[in-house]
Amino acid sequence: MTEDLLTVHDLKTYFPTEDGLVRAVDGISFKIKKKEIVGIVGESGCGKSMTAMSILRLIDPPGKIESGEILFDGVNLTKLKETEMQKIRGGSISVIFQEPMTSLNPVFTIGEQIEEAIMLHQGLDKAKARESTVKMLNTVGIPQANEVVDEYPHELSGGMRQRAMIAMAISCNPKLLIADEPTTALDVTIQAQILELMKDLQNRLGSSIMLITHDLGVIAEMASYVIVMYAGKIVEEAEVTELFKHAKHPYTSGLLQSKPVIVRDEDRLKSIPGQVPNPLHMPAGCYFHPRCEFATDKCRESRPLLKEVCKGHKTACWLYEGVK
């Protein structure tokens, strides 16, 4: 049986505000196996990125991890001191952010930023770190890497900046790579190249990837397992083929039906009515019920738990009460 690399159990990340408590991540549990690509999908504001920031222990005050466990390679990250977490970030766990122009420091060259991570986590001197940096830039397909290493972020195109971010992320051979909307700001041609690059690197390095996106096309292309989040909770999870063929939760079905396809019977795309609820004023019962065409009185009164409704397929929906 494949060993689990990351186990998140009942994670709750809350933000106290003057107007009330925001439950950004509200009691979620999931696992990522070694060498597995897991996709986390959902609308903006559903808690995807906050889940990643919680794993990295990068929650800005007054927000904090209220409770739960984050077990990475057998170590509970919530119990580590900040100095211990610093050794893990950028080393065993790396992250690719969605907008490299804001993630890369504009006053340092590409090479200086990658070299810093290599020297910190691998203990190499500056000359060896530079040599490794050029190798990494070549690995991610950046031409004339020995020149690009001395350029600043603003001198590169969006696609090249994203490749530089990936080079930085993989420079220390991470066990887990968190990719947070890694292709959002790129055109479709560059997007395809970046996704192909990530898959190739994952095969070569044997890393696990936690892929955060709102794009179901990216999920279908990359992931083997999918987690669907809504309003800080997981509402469905399954292997990618199973989820795309037999989506259970009305929210997942809505996401799939709203994706453009070449052949469609109707002229217009379907959409999910309404919007994600205000986190300060969450509805009673199932959080999705105000937008759900199948909602019943039970949905409005009681919150369903995430449970397995068929082998390997979980959902949190009263439509499947008693189904196994």
Side-chain angles (χ1 to χ4, degrees):
M1 185 175 180
T2 308
E3 190 177 346
D4 296 326
L5 176 67
L6 179 75
T7 301
V8 175
H9 178 67
D10 199 25
L11 177 65
K12 297 179 181 179
T13 301
Y14 294 168
F15 287 80
T17 72
E18 292 181 355
D19 298 318
L21 188 65
V22 174
R23 295 175 171 84
V25 179
D26 196 9
I28 68 170
S29 300
F30 65 93
K31 296 180 179 181
I32 298 179
K33 299 173 183 176
K34 292 183 177 179
K35 301 182 180 181
E36 183 181 36
I37 301 179
V38 172
I40 299 184
V41 67
E43 293 170 283
S44 296
C46 71
K48 307 186 301 295
S49 295
M50 200 54 61
T51 298
M53 292 300 101
S54 299
I55 292 169
L56 293 164
R57 293 260 308 271
L58 290 175
I59 305 298
D60 292 327
K64 66 174 183 175
I65 297 174
E66 191 69 27
S67 63
E69 287 185 331
I70 304 170
L71 299 176
F72 175 71
D73 220 8
V75 177
N76 189 348
L77 300 185
T78 63
K79 302 297 184 182
L80 296 184
K81 297 177 181 177
E82 178 57 25
T83 52
E84 294 172 314
M85 272 304 302
Q86 288 173 0
K87 295 177 182 178
I88 290 176
R89 293 191 206 105
S92 300
I93 304 177
S94 288
V95 60
I96 304 170
F97 294 105
Q98 59 180 300
E99 181 41 69
M101 199 59 199
T102 58
S103 303
L104 292 169
N105 194 320
V107 302
F108 292 102
T109 65
I110 295 297
E112 287 171 332
Q113 297 182 62
I114 299 176
E115 288 163 19
E116 181 183 20
I118 293 173
M119 288 188 290
L120 176 64
H121 294 288
Q122 295 191 12
L124 300 182
D125 60 29
K126 189 167 181 63
K128 290 289 186 182
R130 181 182 174 86
E131 184 181 319
S132 181
T133 295
V134 173
K135 182 180 178 182
M136 284 296 106
L137 293 175
N138 276 315
T139 299
V140 299
I142 292 181
Q144 299 176 313
N146 59 330
E147 296 178 11
V148 172
V149 73
D150 293 317
E151 294 182 354
Y152 292 87
H154 72 271
E155 297 180 280
L156 303 182
S157 67
M160 288 297 105
R161 284 195 296 267
Q162 193 63 291
R163 286 173 185 267
M165 279 287 297
I166 294 174
M168 186 184 300
I170 68 169
S171 62
C172 297
N173 299 320
K175 295 179 180 179
L176 175 64
L177 181 63
I178 299 175
D180 189 356
E181 302 278 9
T183 59
T184 296
L186 306 176
D187 63 58
V188 290
T189 303
I190 303 301
Q191 181 183 76
Q193 292 175 4
I194 294 296
L195 293 177
E196 192 61 37
L197 170 63
M198 288 176 59
K199 286 173 68 175
D200 180 56
L201 292 172
Q202 191 263 347
N203 287 332
R204 276 195 275 167
L205 297 175
S207 304
S208 300
I209 297 179
M210 176 177 162
L211 178 62
I212 298 169
T213 183
H214 64 276
D215 190 333
L216 288 164
V218 172
I219 291 291
E221 174 74 18
M222 293 285 292
S224 57
Y225 195 81
V226 191
I227 294 167
V228 183
M229 289 189 69
Y230 183 79
K233 288 187 171 294
I234 294 174
V235 296
E236 187 163 5
E237 60 177 86
E239 291 186 357
V240 63
T241 304
E242 166 67 15
L243 185 124
F244 273 68
K245 286 185 176 180
H246 307 292
K248 305 295 185 186
H249 199 281
Y251 177 62
T252 309
S253 298
L255 290 177
L256 290 169
Q257 290 171 3
S258 64
K259 178 173 172 52
V261 294
I262 295 174
V263 180
R264 184 183 294 274
D265 295 334
E266 301 89 351
D267 293 331
R268 293 174 60 87
L269 283 173
K270 289 187 177 180
S271 62
I272 303 174
Q275 58 188 1
V276 177
N278 185 330
L280 291 170
H281 305 288
M282 300 299 288
C286 173
Y287 288 163
F288 187 65
H289 88 256
R291 308 174 68 187
C292 182
E293 61 180 308
F294 305 106
T296 64
D297 288 340
K298 188 170 187 177
C299 302
R300 300 179 185 95
E301 295 165 0
S302 303
R303 191 169 303 139
L305 299 176
L306 184 71
K307 67 175 186 177
E308 190 173 63
V309 293
C310 59
K311 187 175 181 180
H313 196 149
K314 298 179 181 179
T315 192
C317 181
W318 288 121
L319 291 174
Y320 299 93
E321 175 69 7
V323 174
K324 178 65 176 176

